[in-house]
Amino acid sequence: MSLLSPTRPGAARRTRGRGQGGAAFLLLTPFFAVFGIAMVAPLVYAVNLSLFTERSSGLGFGNAERVFNAPGNYWQALTSEHFQNGFATLALYCVIYIPVMVGLAALFALLIDATAARTGKFFQLTLFLPHAVPEVIAGLIWAYLYTPGASPVLGVLAGRGIDIDMLGRSWVLPGVINIAVWMWTGYNMVILYTALKAIPHETLEAARVDGAGGWTIATRIKLPMIRQAVGVVVLFTVIGSLQMFNSPMVMRSAGSALDADYSPAMFIYHTAFGANDIGLAAAASILLAAVAGVLSWTVTRIAGRKESW
């Protein structure tokens, strides 16, 4: 009789499971390390800053001291007229920008998907190129095109009796939206086009056999089948819209009618580096992150419902 007893199947599975768990933990360690350093640590630091404020004694001539002011900073941010106006501007921006950009991205994706392969690749690359331009550079380009007396486009329109001041208060928001649409339509078009290419060819052929035309196939078959991709595009767009900062700042430096706290992100920047109120700026940033989290959860839930289409 052998002195070595056979290994039981349960023990072998437990040993293999421990080995796989250790390998998974080892492979995930770099991700969690970077996530902790780049995401968790700054968030914790921002929360800590939002709990305090600096106050000077002796009519402002004394040394500043750090005072606990946890509810005060958040209440001041919530009741700030400038912060509220920034959210109002941001809401109007999202109401106009998101449907226009997502609609154009879906339209271009459907058109490219319906064209020949070589032509589709050409237009796909052409529409994606604006996204390759850094946002600050794009803002400088468009600020030049918006400047009266320097813009060739505005010069042609003025010669035909159409006087538009893109840096004026009435046209600032359309100008900012135009920059965002120009930059992000091609990027999101690629996402939707990739989802369209994953639709089974047999499904489209069956629809054609049943007599469905191009418009019916696009609206009744293709769009519902890429619902998850559209949800991802809307989610990323909502998160990006809440961070509206670069383009308005560039346009403001070009002499536009933008206020220093035109958007919530600009309010945070001006409060921290203009008014030197780090605690209030940190509280406002936490509130902005909370709004982003709530909107992200809402968009994800809506996109995940099959009956929403």
Side-chain angles (χ1 to χ4, degrees):
M1 184 177 68
S2 173
L3 297 177
L4 298 176
S5 59
T7 304
R8 289 176 297 178
R13 285 195 297 269
R14 287 193 296 270
T15 302
R16 185 166 58 251
R18 286 195 296 267
Q20 293 175 349
F25 177 79
L26 182 62
L27 292 174
L28 290 174
T29 298
F31 165 78
F32 284 114
V34 175
F35 180 80
I37 295 173
M39 295 292 295
V40 178
L43 181 61
V44 172
Y45 184 61
V47 171
N48 178 65
L49 289 176
S50 69
L51 301 178
F52 298 90
T53 188
E54 291 188 356
R55 294 177 181 172
S56 300
S57 58
L59 299 177
F61 296 102
N63 294 329
E65 58 178 347
R66 200 162 181 245
V67 181
F68 183 77
N69 189 30
N73 286 331
Y74 287 94
W75 180 251
Q76 185 178 354
L78 287 172
T79 57
S80 171
E81 183 180 356
H82 299 289
F83 196 47
Q84 294 173 1
N85 291 339
F87 270 106
T89 302
L90 186 63
L92 182 58
Y93 170 86
C94 291
V95 167
I96 301 174
Y97 164 61
I98 294 177
V100 171
M101 191 279 299
V102 176
L104 287 176
L107 176 62
F108 290 142
L110 290 170
L111 290 175
I112 292 176
D113 185 56
T115 59
R118 184 173 301 178
T119 307
K121 291 180 180 178
F122 170 76
F123 284 109
Q124 184 179 356
L125 177 61
T126 303
L127 291 171
F128 182 79
L129 280 178
H131 181 71
V133 180
E135 188 172 356
V136 175
I137 304 300
L140 290 173
I141 295 173
W142 282 102
Y144 166 75
L145 294 175
Y146 291 160
T147 303
S151 172
V153 178
L154 294 182
V156 172
L157 293 177
R160 298 185 177 182
I162 303 175
D163 189 12
I164 299 177
D165 184 8
M166 296 299 299
L167 299 180
R169 186 168 297 274
S170 301
W171 286 92
V172 164
L173 183 60
V176 174
I177 293 174
N178 177 65
I179 297 175
V181 170
W182 182 78
M183 285 197 61
W184 290 97
T185 298
Y187 174 84
N188 292 297
M189 177 272 300
V190 172
I191 297 177
L192 299 181
Y193 176 72
T194 304
L196 287 172
K197 300 304 292 184
I199 296 177
H201 185 69
E202 295 79 8
T203 302
L204 303 179
E205 286 297 326
R208 294 188 182 96
V209 170
D210 290 339
W215 175 257
T216 302
I217 292 175
T219 56
R220 299 294 184 87
I221 297 177
K222 289 185 177 181
L223 284 179
M225 294 190 72
I226 63 170
R227 171 174 49 86
Q228 296 293 337
V230 174
V232 170
V233 168
V234 174
L235 176 62
F236 289 166
T237 306
V238 168
I239 296 174
S241 298
L242 292 175
Q243 305 172 31
M244 182 175 64
F245 180 79
N246 289 334
S247 298
M249 284 293 289
V250 172
M251 290 185 62
R252 186 169 185 269
S253 65
S256 69
L258 285 170
D259 297 326
D261 44 18
Y262 185 73
S263 69
M266 292 177 66
F267 171 84
I268 294 170
Y269 177 84
H270 176 71
T271 302
F273 301 105
N276 294 320
D277 194 341
I278 303 298
L280 177 58
S285 65
I286 296 299
L287 292 174
L288 181 60
V291 172
V294 171
L295 289 179
S296 300
W297 179 83
T298 304
V299 172
T300 303
R301 290 295 301 271
I302 294 175
R305 294 178 181 176
K306 292 183 179 181
E307 61 270 17
S308 63
W309 285 81

